[in-house]
């Protein structure tokens, strides 16, 4: 007990250090568990609940986009632009001659 490489006093000091570390870890764990429970309660409180009042309905027919009208308008505007540009080029050529 009194001699040798491992004395009882050094083992007691090591035991006290380990007991202190265990107590500190236990208090830290309790604090973290309390924080976790508070976070869960906060998340539960902030959770959004949606309630459908009226069932959505589909339209009878598609109103937009009007593809045929858009293609026709592009064609007509393109032809008008081509005609105006052709007249301008013809006028410039006639003016130079």
């Amino acid at each position: 007990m009194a001699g040798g490489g491992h004395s009882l006093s050094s083992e007691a000091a090591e035991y006290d250090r380990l007991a202190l570390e265990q107590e500190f870890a236990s208090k830290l764990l309790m604090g973290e568990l309390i924080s976790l429970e508070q976070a869960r309660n906060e998340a539960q409180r902030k959770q959004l609940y949606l309630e459908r009042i009226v069932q959505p309905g589909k339209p009878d027919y598609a109103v937009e986009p009007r593809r045929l009208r858009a293609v026709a308008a592009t064609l007509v505007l393109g032809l008008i632009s081509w005609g105006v540009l052709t007249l301008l080029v013809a006028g410039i050529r006639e003016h130079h001659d």
Side-chain angles (χ1 to χ4, degrees), residues 18-65:
L18 290 174
L20 185 64
E21 282 183 15
Q22 181 194 16
E23 184 180 340
F24 177 70
S26 177
K27 286 182 181 180
L28 187 63
L29 177 65
M30 289 304 282
E32 293 299 321
L33 288 175
I34 290 171
S35 295
L36 176 65
E37 189 62 33
Q38 286 174 348
R40 281 184 182 159
N41 289 339
E42 185 71 17
Q44 184 68 24
R45 186 179 65 79
K46 288 185 176 180
Q47 190 173 10
L48 179 65
Y49 293 99
L50 294 177
E51 184 176 342
R52 185 178 293 173
I53 296 174
V54 176
Q55 194 73 359
K58 290 185 177 181
D60 295 334
Y61 59 92
V63 177
E64 294 291 336

Side-chain angles (χ1 to χ4, degrees), residues 52-97:
R52 185 178 293 173
I53 296 174
V54 176
Q55 194 73 359
K58 290 185 177 181
D60 295 334
Y61 59 92
V63 177
E64 294 291 336
R66 296 182 174 142
R67 290 181 180 92
L68 187 58
R69 189 174 81 174
V71 169
T74 303
L75 179 66
V76 168
L77 289 174
L79 287 173
I80 290 172
S81 300
W82 178 74
V84 169
L85 187 63
T86 304
L87 286 175
L88 285 174
V89 169
I92 292 172
R93 284 187 184 162
E94 229 178 77
H95 189 66
H96 279 296
D97 290 337

Side-chain angles (χ1 to χ4, degrees), residues 1-4 6-8:
M1 287 199 147
H6 300 308
S7 67
L8 190 57

